[in-house]
Every structure is written in structure tokens, then in C-alpha cells.
Amino acid sequence: IDAVIYMYLKSSEIYGICPYCGAISYKVHSVYIRTLRDLPVLNRKVNILFQARKFFCKNTICSKKTFAEQPGDEICRYRRRTKRCETIIGNLGVKMSAINTRLLLKSMQIPVSPSTVLRTIYRMIIPDCGVVTAVGVDDWAFRKGVTYGSILVDLKTGDVIDLLADRETDSFECWIRKHTDVNLVSRDRSTNYSSAIANTGRGIAEVADRFHLVKNMSDCVTKVIIDNYSDYRNAIRPE
């Protein structure tokens, strides 16, 4: 209808399972319609109209008297989109800004606001980074020139594994103490991170990251040129 595909769905089960206590109920309390957005089909919007039922919970020890049926894992509670639709929004949202994500999703017939993109990202489960032996640490700006935090990266995979609320010694020291497998840290020239590593008393190797190696080299070259600028200028000046 008007370039929108509507799908009318209802459960084929005659009973509902209480999500709070797990009891089975056959007594229906009421019926209502949930409108959900799914992934587009042939560049057309897809709306799912799900006929959901409320059941009476007959379990006397359950804290709830009624409950709404939950049709599997694809349709989550209190959500207006299917799980696979939210997965697409979240995966795009972590790779670009919320505004650009909104524009791209709009072209894919998934209209959302930037705020919805951010809320979807906040609900994403952060995967476990596993055992980390080599990390890179540097500061990053919540607000440039005002507040800074620390970003930690797994040097073997290049993945961001944690964000700290500040760039102080205590915060990074606490993180290092919790991750006993770390034996190498790539850092900038900040003494805060170096002090945090020294305070742990562990034999953690410290190396300068690539950016600061290049920065140190360029600073040395610049100093040599400045100190001998007149000699270099006279050497290349024609007779």
C-alpha cells in the first residue's frame, strides 16, 4: 500500500509463557497490535503488524498478574524495530556519525533520527576482548581543550577495548592491575601512563608509538636545521 509492505502476524501457539516466572497460561486477558519496522524489501518499507496477546499468570508466587507474549528473540520487548533491523542501525552507527547514519538509512528506507541511532548504540552489548597482552594507550578528547579521557587499543587486533574517564595515573594504574596478562604498553610521551606502569611493579615493556617516534625524529631534525640554518643556507647558495 503506497510503496509500503505490511505484514500481519500473530502467534500460532494457544498459550503464553510468563517471562517473569516461566509458567504457562492459556487464559487470554486482552489483544493489542504492535507496529514494528523491519528491513526493507525491494527498496520498500516493511511494517509488521503483530497481534500480541496479554495473558493472566496463574502462578500464585509470581509478582505479576498479567504478561504480554514474547514471540521469540527477533522481536524484543518494548522495541519498535525487529532485532535484525536494530543490528543494521547499530553496526552503521559505530562506523560513522549519527547524522550520516541517519542519511544512509533513509536511502535504505529505514527512517530513523540521530537520537535513535545513539540509543541503539548504547544498547549494544560490548564483546569481551579476551586475553590482552599488548595494548596501546593515548588520550582522546571528550571536548577538545577541556576534558580528556584515555583510549586503550589491542595492538594485535587494532580493536578499541576500553575507554577511561580521564588520563590520570590512578585510572590507568587500576586498569593495568586488573589485566595481569599485559606485558607490553605502547604509549605517548606522557609521564602519567609511565608512572602508572611503574607503580604496578611488574616488568611491563614500554615502547613509544609510531606517531611519537616520527614526531621525535622530526623534532630532532628541525633542531639540527635551526641550529645550523645559516651554514646550510650558505652551502646551497650559488656563487
Coordinates of all heavy atoms in Angstrom, one line a residue, residues 21-72:
C21 N 8.2 -15.7 35.5 CA 8.3 -16.9 36.3 C 8.4 -18.2 35.4 O 8.7 -19.3 36.0 CB 7.1 -17.0 37.3 SG 5.5 -17.3 36.4
G22 N 8.1 -18.1 34.1 CA 8.2 -19.2 33.2 C 7.0 -20.1 33.2 O 7.0 -21.2 32.6
A23 N 5.9 -19.7 33.9 CA 4.7 -20.5 33.9 C 3.9 -20.4 32.6 O 3.9 -19.3 31.9 CB 3.8 -20.1 35.1
I24 N 3.2 -21.4 32.2 CA 2.4 -21.5 31.0 C 0.9 -21.1 31.3 O 0.4 -21.5 32.3 CB 2.4 -22.9 30.4 CG1 3.8 -23.2 29.9 CG2 1.4 -22.9 29.2 CD1 4.0 -24.6 29.3
S25 N 0.4 -20.2 30.5 CA -1.0 -19.7 30.7 C -1.8 -19.9 29.4 O -1.3 -19.5 28.3 CB -1.0 -18.3 31.2 OG -2.4 -17.8 31.3
Y26 N -3.1 -20.3 29.6 CA -4.0 -20.4 28.4 C -5.1 -19.3 28.4 O -5.8 -19.2 27.5 CB -4.6 -21.8 28.4 CG -3.6 -22.9 28.1 CD1 -3.0 -23.5 29.1 CD2 -3.4 -23.3 26.8 CE1 -2.1 -24.6 28.9 CE2 -2.5 -24.4 26.5 CZ -1.8 -25.0 27.6 OH -1.0 -26.0 27.3
K27 N -5.1 -18.6 29.5 CA -6.2 -17.6 29.7 C -5.8 -16.3 29.2 O -4.9 -15.6 29.7 CB -6.7 -17.5 31.1 CG -7.9 -16.7 31.3 CD -8.4 -16.8 32.8 CE -9.7 -16.0 32.9 NZ -10.2 -16.0 34.3
V28 N -6.5 -15.8 28.1 CA -6.1 -14.5 27.5 C -6.8 -13.4 28.2 O -8.0 -13.4 28.5 CB -6.5 -14.5 26.0 CG1 -6.2 -13.2 25.3 CG2 -5.8 -15.6 25.2
H29 N -6.0 -12.3 28.5 CA -6.5 -11.1 29.1 C -7.0 -10.1 28.1 O -8.2 -9.6 28.2 CB -5.4 -10.5 30.0 CG -5.7 -9.2 30.6 ND1 -5.6 -8.0 29.9 CD2 -6.2 -8.9 31.8 CE1 -6.0 -7.0 30.7 NE2 -6.4 -7.5 31.9
S30 N -6.3 -9.9 27.1 CA -6.7 -8.9 26.0 C -5.7 -9.1 24.8 O -4.8 -9.8 24.9 CB -6.6 -7.5 26.6 OG -5.3 -7.2 27.0
V31 N -6.1 -8.4 23.7 CA -5.3 -8.4 22.5 C -5.0 -7.0 22.0 O -5.9 -6.1 22.1 CB -6.1 -9.2 21.4 CG1 -5.3 -9.2 20.1 CG2 -6.4 -10.6 21.8
Y32 N -3.8 -6.8 21.6 CA -3.5 -5.5 21.1 C -2.5 -5.6 19.9 O -2.0 -6.7 19.6 CB -2.8 -4.6 22.1 CG -1.5 -5.1 22.7 CD1 -0.3 -4.6 22.2 CD2 -1.4 -6.1 23.6 CE1 0.9 -5.0 22.7 CE2 -0.3 -6.6 24.1 CZ 0.9 -6.0 23.6 OH 2.1 -6.5 24.1
I33 N -2.3 -4.5 19.1 CA -1.5 -4.6 17.9 C -0.2 -3.8 18.2 O -0.2 -2.7 18.6 CB -2.2 -4.0 16.7 CG1 -3.5 -4.7 16.4 CG2 -1.3 -4.0 15.5 CD1 -3.3 -6.1 16.0
R34 N 0.9 -4.5 17.9 CA 2.3 -3.9 17.9 C 2.7 -3.6 16.5 O 2.7 -4.5 15.6 CB 3.3 -4.8 18.6 CG 3.1 -4.9 20.1 CD 4.2 -5.7 20.7 NE 5.5 -5.2 20.5 CZ 6.7 -5.8 20.8 NH1 6.6 -7.0 21.4 NH2 7.8 -5.2 20.6
T35 N 3.1 -2.3 16.2 CA 3.7 -2.0 14.9 C 5.2 -1.9 15.0 O 5.8 -1.2 15.8 CB 3.1 -0.6 14.5 OG1 1.7 -0.6 14.5 CG2 3.6 -0.2 13.1
L36 N 5.8 -2.7 14.1 CA 7.2 -2.9 14.1 C 7.8 -2.6 12.7 O 7.1 -2.8 11.7 CB 7.6 -4.3 14.5 CG 7.1 -4.8 15.9 CD1 7.2 -6.3 15.9 CD2 8.0 -4.2 17.0
R37 N 9.0 -2.0 12.7 CA 9.7 -1.8 11.4 C 10.7 -2.9 11.2 O 11.5 -3.2 12.0 CB 10.3 -0.4 11.4 CG 11.1 0.0 10.2 CD 10.3 0.1 8.9 NE 9.2 0.9 9.1 CZ 9.2 2.3 9.0 NH1 10.4 2.9 8.8 NH2 8.1 3.0 9.1
D38 N 10.7 -3.4 10.0 CA 11.6 -4.5 9.6 C 12.5 -4.0 8.5 O 12.3 -2.8 8.0 CB 10.9 -5.7 9.2 CG 11.8 -7.0 9.2 OD1 12.9 -6.9 9.7 OD2 11.4 -8.0 8.6
L39 N 13.5 -4.8 8.0 CA 14.4 -4.4 6.9 C 13.5 -4.3 5.7 O 12.6 -5.0 5.5 CB 15.5 -5.5 6.8 CG 16.5 -5.6 7.9 CD1 17.5 -6.7 7.6 CD2 17.2 -4.3 8.1
P40 N 13.9 -3.4 4.8 CA 13.2 -3.1 3.5 C 13.2 -4.3 2.6 O 14.2 -5.1 2.6 CB 13.8 -1.9 2.9 CG 15.2 -1.9 3.5 CD 15.1 -2.5 4.9
V41 N 12.2 -4.5 1.7 CA 12.2 -5.5 0.7 C 12.0 -4.8 -0.7 O 11.1 -4.0 -0.9 CB 11.0 -6.5 0.9 CG1 10.9 -7.5 -0.3 CG2 11.2 -7.2 2.2
L42 N 13.0 -5.0 -1.6 CA 12.9 -4.4 -2.9 C 12.8 -2.9 -2.8 O 12.1 -2.2 -3.5 CB 11.8 -4.9 -3.7 CG 11.9 -6.4 -4.1 CD1 10.6 -6.9 -4.8 CD2 13.1 -6.8 -4.9
N43 N 13.6 -2.3 -1.8 CA 13.6 -0.9 -1.6 C 12.3 -0.3 -1.2 O 12.0 0.9 -1.4 CB 14.1 -0.1 -2.8 CG 14.7 1.3 -2.4 OD1 15.3 1.4 -1.3 ND2 14.6 2.2 -3.3
R44 N 11.5 -1.1 -0.5 CA 10.2 -0.7 0.0 C 10.2 -0.9 1.5 O 10.7 -1.9 2.0 CB 9.0 -1.5 -0.6 CG 8.9 -1.2 -2.1 CD 7.6 -1.9 -2.6 NE 7.4 -1.6 -4.1 CZ 6.4 -2.0 -4.8 NH1 5.4 -2.6 -4.2 NH2 6.3 -1.7 -6.0
K45 N 9.6 0.1 2.2 CA 9.5 -0.1 3.7 C 8.6 -1.3 4.0 O 7.7 -1.6 3.3 CB 8.8 1.2 4.3 CG 9.6 2.5 4.0 CD 8.9 3.7 4.6 CE 9.6 5.0 4.3 NZ 8.9 6.1 4.8
V46 N 9.0 -1.9 5.1 CA 8.2 -3.1 5.6 C 7.7 -2.8 7.1 O 8.6 -2.5 8.0 CB 9.1 -4.3 5.6 CG1 8.3 -5.5 6.2 CG2 9.5 -4.7 4.2
N47 N 6.4 -2.8 7.2 CA 5.8 -2.6 8.6 C 5.2 -4.0 9.0 O 4.5 -4.6 8.2 CB 4.8 -1.5 8.6 CG 5.4 -0.2 8.5 OD1 6.6 0.0 8.8 ND2 4.6 0.8 8.0
I48 N 5.5 -4.4 10.2 CA 5.0 -5.6 10.7 C 3.9 -5.2 11.8 O 4.2 -4.5 12.7 CB 6.0 -6.5 11.4 CG1 7.0 -7.0 10.4 CG2 5.4 -7.7 12.1 CD1 8.2 -7.8 11.0
L49 N 2.7 -5.7 11.5 CA 1.6 -5.5 12.5 C 1.4 -6.8 13.2 O 0.8 -7.8 12.7 CB 0.3 -5.1 11.8 CG 0.5 -3.8 10.9 CD1 -0.8 -3.5 10.2 CD2 0.8 -2.6 11.8
F50 N 1.9 -6.9 14.4 CA 1.9 -8.1 15.2 C 0.7 -8.1 16.2 O 0.7 -7.2 17.1 CB 3.2 -8.3 15.9 CG 3.2 -9.4 16.9 CD1 3.0 -10.7 16.4 CD2 3.4 -9.2 18.2 CE1 3.1 -11.8 17.3 CE2 3.4 -10.3 19.1 CZ 3.3 -11.6 18.6
Q51 N -0.1 -9.1 16.1 CA -1.3 -9.2 17.1 C -0.8 -9.9 18.3 O -0.6 -11.1 18.4 CB -2.4 -10.0 16.4 CG -3.6 -10.1 17.3 CD -4.8 -10.9 16.7 OE1 -5.3 -10.4 15.7 NE2 -5.1 -12.0 17.2
A52 N -0.5 -9.1 19.3 CA 0.0 -9.6 20.6 C -1.1 -9.8 21.6 O -2.1 -9.1 21.6 CB 1.1 -8.7 21.2
R53 N -0.9 -10.8 22.4 CA -1.9 -11.1 23.5 C -1.3 -10.9 24.8 O -0.1 -11.1 25.1 CB -2.4 -12.6 23.3 CG -3.1 -12.9 22.0 CD -3.3 -14.4 21.8 NE -2.0 -15.0 21.7 CZ -1.9 -16.4 21.6 NH1 -3.0 -17.1 21.6 NH2 -0.7 -16.9 21.4
K54 N -2.2 -10.5 25.7 CA -1.9 -10.5 27.2 C -2.5 -11.7 27.8 O -3.7 -12.0 27.5 CB -2.3 -9.2 27.8 CG -1.3 -8.1 27.8 CD -1.7 -6.9 28.7 CE -0.6 -5.8 28.7 NZ -1.0 -4.7 29.6
F55 N -1.8 -12.3 28.7 CA -2.3 -13.5 29.4 C -2.4 -13.2 30.9 O -1.6 -12.4 31.5 CB -1.4 -14.7 29.2 CG -1.5 -15.3 27.8 CD1 -0.7 -14.7 26.8 CD2 -2.4 -16.3 27.5 CE1 -0.8 -15.3 25.5 CE2 -2.4 -16.8 26.2 CZ -1.6 -16.3 25.2
F56 N -3.3 -13.9 31.6 CA -3.3 -13.9 33.1 C -2.2 -15.0 33.5 O -2.2 -16.1 33.0 CB -4.6 -14.3 33.6 CG -5.7 -13.3 33.5 CD1 -6.6 -13.4 32.4 CD2 -5.7 -12.2 34.3 CE1 -7.6 -12.4 32.3 CE2 -6.7 -11.2 34.2 CZ -7.6 -11.3 33.2
C57 N -1.4 -14.6 34.5 CA -0.5 -15.5 35.1 C -1.1 -16.2 36.3 O -1.5 -15.5 37.2 CB 0.8 -14.8 35.5 SG 2.1 -16.0 36.1
K58 N -1.2 -17.5 36.2 CA -1.9 -18.2 37.3 C -1.0 -18.7 38.4 O -1.4 -19.3 39.4 CB -2.6 -19.5 36.7 CG -3.8 -19.1 35.7 CD -4.9 -18.3 36.5 CE -6.0 -18.0 35.6 NZ -7.1 -17.3 36.3
N59 N 0.3 -18.4 38.2 CA 1.3 -18.8 39.3 C 1.1 -17.8 40.5 O 1.3 -16.6 40.4 CB 2.7 -18.7 38.7 CG 3.7 -19.2 39.6 OD1 3.4 -19.6 40.8 ND2 5.0 -19.2 39.2
T60 N 0.7 -18.4 41.6 CA 0.4 -17.6 42.8 C 1.7 -16.9 43.4 O 1.5 -15.9 44.1 CB -0.2 -18.5 43.8 OG1 0.6 -19.6 44.2 CG2 -1.6 -19.0 43.4
I61 N 2.8 -17.5 43.1 CA 4.0 -16.9 43.7 C 4.7 -15.9 42.7 O 5.7 -15.3 43.1 CB 5.1 -18.0 44.1 CG1 5.5 -18.7 42.8 CG2 4.5 -18.9 45.1 CD1 6.6 -19.7 43.1
C62 N 4.1 -15.7 41.5 CA 4.7 -14.7 40.6 C 4.3 -13.3 41.0 O 3.2 -13.1 41.5 CB 4.2 -15.0 39.2 SG 4.9 -13.9 37.9
S63 N 5.2 -12.4 40.8 CA 4.9 -11.0 41.2 C 4.0 -10.3 40.2 O 3.5 -9.2 40.5 CB 6.3 -10.2 41.3 OG 7.0 -10.2 40.0
K64 N 3.8 -10.9 39.0 CA 2.9 -10.2 38.0 C 1.6 -11.0 37.8 O 1.6 -12.2 37.9 CB 3.7 -10.2 36.7 CG 5.0 -9.4 36.7 CD 4.9 -8.0 37.0 CE 6.2 -7.3 37.0 NZ 6.1 -5.8 37.3
K65 N 0.5 -10.2 37.6 CA -0.8 -10.9 37.4 C -1.0 -11.1 35.9 O -1.7 -12.0 35.6 CB -1.9 -10.0 38.0 CG -1.7 -9.7 39.5 CD -1.8 -11.1 40.3 CE -1.7 -10.8 41.8 NZ -1.7 -12.1 42.5
T66 N -0.5 -10.2 35.1 CA -0.6 -10.4 33.6 C 0.7 -10.2 33.0 O 1.7 -9.6 33.5 CB -1.6 -9.3 33.0 OG1 -1.1 -8.0 33.3 CG2 -3.0 -9.5 33.7
F67 N 0.8 -10.7 31.8 CA 2.1 -10.6 31.0 C 1.7 -10.6 29.5 O 0.7 -11.1 29.1 CB 3.1 -11.7 31.3 CG 2.6 -13.1 30.9 CD1 2.9 -13.6 29.7 CD2 1.9 -13.8 31.8 CE1 2.4 -14.9 29.3 CE2 1.5 -15.1 31.5 CZ 1.7 -15.6 30.2
A68 N 2.6 -10.0 28.7 CA 2.4 -10.0 27.2 C 3.3 -11.0 26.6 O 4.4 -11.3 27.1 CB 2.8 -8.6 26.7
E69 N 2.8 -11.7 25.6 CA 3.6 -12.8 25.0 C 4.8 -12.2 24.2 O 4.7 -11.1 23.7 CB 2.7 -13.6 24.0 CG 2.1 -12.8 22.8 CD 1.4 -13.7 21.9 OE1 1.6 -14.9 21.9 OE2 0.5 -13.2 21.2
Q70 N 5.9 -12.9 24.3 CA 7.1 -12.5 23.6 C 7.4 -13.5 22.5 O 7.8 -14.6 22.8 CB 8.2 -12.4 24.6 CG 8.0 -11.5 25.8 CD 7.7 -10.1 25.3 OE1 8.3 -9.6 24.4 NE2 6.8 -9.4 26.1
P71 N 7.2 -13.2 21.2 CA 7.4 -14.1 20.1 C 8.8 -14.3 19.7 O 9.3 -13.9 18.7 CB 6.5 -13.5 19.0 CG 6.7 -12.0 19.3 CD 6.8 -11.9 20.8
G72 N 9.6 -15.0 20.5 CA 11.0 -15.4 20.1 C 11.9 -14.2 20.4 O 11.6 -13.2 21.0

